[in-house]
Amino acid sequence: MSDVKTIKVAVDGQEIEIPAGATALQACEIAGKEIPRFCYHERLSIAGNCRMCLVEIEKAPKLVSSCSFPVMDGMKIITDSEAVRRGRRGVMEFLLINHPLDCPICDQGGECDLQDQAVAYGSDVTRFHENKRAVKDKYVGPLIKTIMNRCIQCSRCVRFSQEVAGVPELGATGRGEGMEIGTYVEKALTTELAGNLIDICPVGALTSRPYAFMSRPWELTNTDSVDVLDAVGANIRVDARGPDILRILPRIHEDVNEEWLGDRSRFAHDGLKHKRLDRPWVKRDGRLRQASWGEAFAAIAAKLRGMPGERIGAVAGDHSDAESLLALRDLMHALGSNNLDCRQDGAAIDASRRDYYLFNSTIAGIEQADALVIIGSNPRVEAPVLNARIRKRWGSNDLAVAYVGPAGLDLTYEAEHLGETLSALDGITDGEGEFATALRGAKRPMVLLGRGALARPDGAAVLAAAWALADRLGALRPDWHGFNLLHQFGGQVGALDLGFLPGPGGKDLGGMLGGGVDALWLLDADGFDPALIGDGTFVIYQGHHGDRAAARADVILPGSTYLEKDGVYVNTEGRVQIGRRAVAPPGEAREDWRILRAASALLGHALPYDDGDAIRAALVRANPVFGRVDAVAAPACPNATGPAARGEVGQGGFVLPITDYFRTDSLSRASDVMAECSRVRREETVPRLAAE
């Protein structure tokens, strides 16, 4: 039985039961009534600006704005009376006084709340003939185009920047007719969630600059997929026209990304058009030359046939789908090789137990935590949407946060800096500070360990120490699992689930470099310096962009990005999700697992799956977790036995792995939009003199 107190109200004669403290608008929605609104957003604080949500309350002297009006037991609400219709028409008339009539050229046309509600609730005539006011457009960065003449001052953007993004750079200046929304001093927004302002703007005042004048929404083909440019696995909708992806939008998934999306995940797709590998290449006489698929496979077969398995190795990239990882793993095993590694960063991850490498509290579980220790991570740039969830919990005054790492991090919420080395955690609960006090009384503490913290010579010791800290804080219980490893990209957990790691007698990435193997198969692996590969090593690069590893290859096999193939991915909390193909890969590029299947046949070790259903069945046989799509276990620690501690923790401070949020992988490095964002962010961090 729930202990939430409920009350009864009547909406248009229909009696319903709702939680006490709910607003009239929420009561109407529970009753299935549509209430127009502009300023109200269910994930933001209530402003009551627009007055479009007027309803009638029995015995009330006048209409009330339902978004800000709390209901009482026995209240009777009327949503569709002549007075309500007249009131809404009046509000719409005022909203349109200064709104320009530029629907034919507005990027919001076809998906504009103002346009839709003007038709549904407005009048077909106007009584105003005065000149409309003009407002100067503001520069807020390379991602958002502003047309401030259209702004109706709903303040959604202001509240989002303050409450969700945690970067209070937007606000209002002036009063009355002279009020304007802007950044006070004209500058680019410094949040990694800026693109969400486009989604929440109910008019065309904030639109996508890269998407400007590209298409109308009814021209687009929509494909539901998942993002892999960070490890959150945000649910996305990919909008394409013909062979071109024009934009990416978030889909609602309450347990993963709510309805938000990071800027890199939203805008980096223009990188699909640059530096692409669209045909096979084979190195002849010291130079890469175009080749057919048959010639490329023949070159590989000529080199690998007869080569001892221990002299062949494979490295998986951070965005690889589970199907291609399984195919490459099985091919290497068929060739007699145990030289496999998916840790391009060299992270010392113990994969002997799944909860040693997962975000075990779950992303939604952050909202149950009451204390958080962050070790060697900056969630703001490693996972902006997850960081917004931490800020949401912190904003409710129920979460105390502290971190170990470089001083001066702006996490968008208050966090106590404990120190730069792991020794700062010694006696963490014995202090007298505010965080130590909160930690001692915490019922659901969390430890968040950054993957970059394990990419050190003492990474295994750091992992064991972080687990031991979680145990010491009482975070490892049958009803709560407070140890969390935050990965950086969407293909990293799936590779660990498939055991894409050195087998018995096998070499890791460090052992394969510098001549440790005679042939090295790189599956979209651009995350390490290819100059470390031995001069005599035969390199097969299978990927989608001509990034740094492709230049070192002897054979290039053109693969597909996550937007150009169906694929299975696992996010940082262990949630299996399926990405869908939105467009076809360019030229002769193919799905990665199909490339590996074709290569295996020519190498004399044909893989036992020929279609998508067969390989996904093989995934489930390899690890049953792949059969549980979009499911994640409740936070629970089966036992507190920790990963093996090898060596001692060093005294060096933590170095954060991502220094430039906008350029972290081959796709974002090929994106002109991300390059411009990176340039603007660098320039704005340089101190300027007053005269400038």
Side-chain angles (χ1 to χ4, degrees):
M1 292 289 292
S2 173
D3 57 357
V4 177
K5 182 182 178 182
T6 61
I7 59 176
K8 292 183 178 180
V9 299
V11 180
D12 291 341
Q14 174 188 352
E15 190 174 87
I16 60 170
E17 196 170 286
I18 62 172
T23 65
L25 188 149
Q26 291 169 328
C28 293
E29 290 194 330
I30 291 172
K33 303 297 182 180
E34 179 182 317
I35 303 297
R37 82 289 299 269
F38 293 114
C39 67
Y40 177 80
H41 192 283
E42 51 272 11
R43 302 187 197 277
L44 303 176
S45 61
I46 295 172
N49 290 357
C50 72
R51 322 306 285 183
M52 192 65 199
C53 62
L54 293 174
V55 296
E56 187 177 352
I57 305 295
E58 189 177 75
K59 298 181 180 179
K62 60 181 181 179
L63 302 178
V64 301
S65 59
S66 59
C67 70
S68 58
F69 195 83
V71 296
M72 294 180 289
D73 196 28
M75 182 178 286
K76 295 182 179 179
I77 303 170
I78 304 168
T79 68
D80 188 22
S81 65
E82 180 56 35
V84 170
R85 290 193 292 270
R86 189 169 58 249
R88 291 173 181 170
R89 281 198 300 268
V91 170
M92 181 61 68
E93 191 172 22
F94 277 114
L95 287 174
L96 294 176
I97 290 174
N98 284 309
H99 197 79
L101 301 176
D102 56 359
C103 292
I105 62 164
C106 177
D107 280 317
Q108 199 86 342
E111 47 193 5
C112 173
D113 291 348
L114 184 64
Q115 194 177 57
D116 295 341
Q117 293 183 38
V119 172
Y121 302 100
S123 175
D124 58 352
V125 296
T126 179
R127 292 176 291 170
F128 292 93
H129 302 286
E130 292 80 5
N131 292 330
K132 296 178 182 289
R133 75 169 187 163
V135 182
K136 178 182 177 291
D137 293 342
K138 313 294 193 298
Y139 175 77
V140 294
L143 300 178
I144 300 176
K145 183 181 74 169
T146 65
I147 305 93
M148 302 311 294
N149 285 339
R150 303 170 186 161
C151 179
I152 61 171
Q153 285 107 30
C154 70
S155 78
R156 278 189 184 182
C157 57
V158 176
R159 285 174 284 147
F160 175 86
S161 64
Q162 292 177 341
E163 298 166 13
V164 179
V167 182
E169 296 172 333
L170 284 171
T173 55
R175 300 178 66 186
E177 190 181 25
M179 186 171 124
E180 298 182 14
I181 302 293
T183 53
Y184 307 113
V185 176
E186 196 161 283
K187 61 186 287 292
L189 297 173
T190 58
T191 174
E192 294 75 24
L193 297 168
N196 297 287
L197 294 169
I198 300 165
D199 297 337
I200 65 171
C201 181
V203 296
L206 304 177
T207 58
S208 171
R209 188 181 293 272
Y211 177 67
F213 309 116
M214 296 286 283
S215 74
R216 289 300 191 185
W218 53 83
E219 300 174 334
L220 303 175
T221 301
N222 312 133
T223 305
D224 291 347
S225 190
V226 294
D227 171 61
V228 301
L229 297 190
D230 64 29
V232 171
N235 285 225
I236 59 175
R237 192 189 84 196
V238 185
D239 289 351
R241 184 176 60 191
D244 301 322
I245 291 176
L246 299 187
R247 66 177 181 180
I248 295 176
L249 301 176
R251 286 187 295 127
I252 295 177
H253 193 307
E254 297 294 346
D255 292 335
V256 180
N257 59 299
E258 297 182 297
E259 62 181 82
W260 313 127
L261 188 62
D263 288 342
R264 188 176 67 231
S265 302
R266 184 190 293 262
F267 293 108
H269 59 83
D270 70 302
L272 294 174
K273 294 296 182 183
H274 308 298
K275 298 174 64 178
R276 287 305 301 270
L277 299 173
D278 59 359
R279 66 197 60 168
W281 296 73
V282 175
K283 184 172 287 186
R284 300 190 185 97
D285 302 325
R287 293 186 61 185
L288 283 168
R289 303 180 187 277
Q290 296 181 26
S292 67
W293 279 105
E295 291 170 333
F297 288 147
I300 295 171
K303 194 71 178 181
L304 297 189
R305 278 183 187 148
M307 184 179 289
E310 62 270 15
R311 301 302 300 170
I312 304 173
V315 181
D318 296 324
H319 297 156
S320 300
D321 57 287
E323 293 93 333
S324 60
L325 290 163
L326 177 67
L328 183 56
R329 187 199 72 174
D330 290 351
L331 176 58
M332 289 296 112
H333 288 169
L335 293 172
S337 173
N338 283 326
N339 303 323
L340 305 171
D341 208 346
C342 61
R343 302 162 300 179
Q344 295 183 85
D345 54 359
I349 296 174
D350 187 337
S352 61
R353 215 172 90 180
R354 199 167 188 243
D355 60 340
Y356 291 166
Y357 60 82
L358 289 186
F359 199 95
N360 297 289
S361 299
T362 72
I363 297 171
I366 292 172
E367 298 188 31
Q368 302 176 34
D370 46 12
L372 172 63
V373 182
I374 300 173
I375 303 174
S377 175
N378 182 356
R380 176 175 174 179
V381 297
E382 293 174 29
V385 173
L386 183 145
N387 194 65
R389 183 88 70 155
I390 296 174
R391 175 176 169 78
K392 177 182 178 182
R393 178 62 172 170
W394 170 84
S396 66
N397 297 319
D398 292 323
L399 181 66
V401 185
Y403 71 94
V404 176
L409 287 185
D410 181 5
L411 298 171
T412 73
Y413 40 83
E414 292 179 7
E416 182 178 330
H417 183 229
L418 301 176
E420 296 191 6
T421 66
L422 208 60
S423 60
L425 296 174
D426 295 341
I428 187 174
T429 59
D430 301 330
E432 299 300 326
E434 185 177 333
F435 179 75
T437 303
L439 196 58
R440 284 195 292 270
K443 293 181 173 58
R444 285 188 169 88
M446 283 178 57
V447 174
L448 190 159
L449 178 64
R451 176 163 170 144
L454 305 182
R456 319 183 336 161
D458 61 349
V462 171
L463 176 63
W467 181 279
L469 172 66
D471 189 21
R472 196 162 70 247
L473 297 178
L476 305 178
R477 310 192 305 263
D479 64 333
W480 177 249
H481 202 319
F483 175 81
N484 303 282
L485 181 59
L486 178 58
H487 293 269
Q488 296 164 11
F489 301 106
Q492 293 176 325
V493 175
L496 295 170
D497 283 339
L498 287 170
F500 203 97
L501 296 165
K507 300 181 177 71
D508 61 9
L509 175 61
M512 288 186 269
L513 298 177
V517 293
D518 295 328
L520 186 61
W521 198 304
L522 304 180
L523 178 61
D524 194 22
D526 291 294
F528 67 97
D529 185 0
L532 300 175
I533 301 173
D535 291 337
T537 304
F538 181 77
V539 177
I540 305 158
Y541 179 75
Q542 179 178 339
H544 43 75
H545 277 80
D547 211 62
R548 49 194 176 191
R552 171 61 184 83
D554 294 284
V555 175
I556 294 176
L557 305 176
S560 306
T561 68
Y562 72 103
L563 299 168
E564 298 163 343
K565 60 185 173 184
D566 293 340
V568 175
Y569 302 94
V570 188
N571 76 348
T572 193
E573 61 181 348
R575 184 185 300 270
V576 176
Q577 300 186 105
I578 298 177
R580 298 298 183 187
R581 169 173 162 162
V583 294
E588 299 180 42
R590 297 290 183 269
E591 291 184 68
D592 289 289
W593 78 264
R594 295 185 186 276
I595 295 172
L596 290 159
R597 171 64 180 83
S600 69
L602 291 177
L603 289 170
H605 299 282
L607 297 175
Y609 25 78
D610 296 319
D611 55 37
D613 291 339
I615 193 169
R616 291 191 181 98
L619 277 175
V620 176
R621 290 194 297 271
N623 191 334
V625 73
F626 288 101
R628 299 189 288 271
V629 177
D630 198 26
V632 64
C637 186
N639 63 72
T641 303
R646 300 191 301 273
E648 299 292 330
V649 176
Q651 294 304 308
F654 289 104
V655 177
L656 299 179
I658 297 179
T659 57
D660 186 348
Y661 166 75
F662 299 104
R663 310 193 78 190
T664 59
D665 55 87
S666 60
L667 178 60
S668 59
R669 284 192 290 267
S671 165
D672 290 341
V673 175
M674 293 295 97
E676 177 66 9
C677 290
S678 179
R679 182 192 66 78
V680 170
R681 182 67 61 87
R682 285 197 309 270
E683 289 181 355
E684 294 208 341
T685 57
V686 176
R688 298 192 177 197
L689 300 176
E692 296 182 283

